[in-house]
Amino acid sequence: MLLTGDYHTHTIYSHGKGTVMENALRAKEIGLKEIAITDHGFEQMAFGIKRKKVPQLIEDCKKATLETGVKVYVGMEANLCDENGRTDMGVNDYKDFDIFLMGIHRFVKFTRFKDFWNMLVVNALYTAFKKEASKSLIRYNTRAYINSIEKY
């Protein structure tokens, strides 16, 4: 199989090491035709992209596309913030982004303590101890993802 794109890359806008241009140049080097810059969302407290930086991200993606010939999409790896499916990308943000990924992450502003407990603490404990998640945790996580899919 020939891969032509990478739709999950990070830059210095969150916790990546390279710039948008550096990502695009590397993509061109290895023969990719397109990439998405999907830095972490606004409610990622440790290293999420800041709303005030979005216009510069958009400009960087346009410039990298023009200068490298690699199509660079503006994206976000949003954070799942609660069981109801809320993420940190709101409807008003849609106009600025081409691609929207979503997952459960650490250091996020969860909506309620229950969401913090299940999404961060309990998931982390099962992962750390390499244990199979309980049926109730699997139901909770699945419900949160499905609610987000239906909402967005």
Side-chain angles (χ1 to χ4, degrees):
M1 173 172 39
L2 177 63
L3 299 177
T4 60
D6 183 349
Y7 306 102
H8 186 173
T9 71
H10 295 289
T11 69
I12 56 175
Y13 282 102
S14 67
H15 71 302
K17 303 280 188 237
T19 64
V20 171
M21 185 62 76
E22 289 169 335
N23 282 18
L25 288 168
R26 179 66 180 140
K28 184 175 183 171
E29 274 179 36
I30 62 174
L32 297 180
K33 303 293 181 213
E34 52 188 28
I35 62 171
I37 305 301
T38 52
D39 284 305
H40 286 277
F42 305 123
E43 293 187 29
Q44 170 38 267
M45 295 181 292
F47 42 76
I49 188 170
K50 306 297 181 229
R51 284 187 194 282
K52 66 184 179 185
K53 298 279 188 173
V54 172
Q56 186 60 55
L57 171 64
I58 293 167
E59 189 58 38
D60 289 352
C61 290
K62 287 178 183 175
K63 182 179 179 186
T65 296
L66 288 172
E67 291 187 18
T68 67
V70 172
K71 174 61 183 157
V72 181
Y73 295 102
V74 180
M76 178 191 288
E77 183 178 4
N79 299 292
L80 184 56
C81 300
D82 67 32
E83 181 181 14
N84 295 322
R86 182 181 75 80
T87 72
D88 50 0
M89 179 183 275
V91 173
N92 293 335
D93 299 311
Y94 293 174
K95 67 186 181 332
D96 295 326
F97 294 89
D98 303 310
I99 291 181
F100 172 32
L101 310 178
M102 184 265 306
I104 296 174
H105 299 98
R106 296 182 182 105
F107 312 118
V108 171
K109 295 176 191 171
F110 294 102
T111 305
R112 303 168 301 185
F113 180 78
K114 176 183 176 182
D115 301 307
F116 161 80
W117 182 256
N118 285 321
M119 288 186 184
L120 178 64
V121 177
V122 179
N123 278 320
L125 287 172
Y126 278 106
T127 301
F129 291 107
K130 297 179 175 43
K131 299 284 184 185
E132 185 175 326
S134 69
K135 289 184 178 176
S136 65
L137 182 62
I138 291 170
R139 279 192 303 272
Y140 175 88
N141 288 336
T142 302
R143 195 168 39 252
Y145 275 109
I146 289 171
N147 286 338
S148 187
I149 291 166
E150 289 175 347
K151 184 177 277 189
Y152 299 102

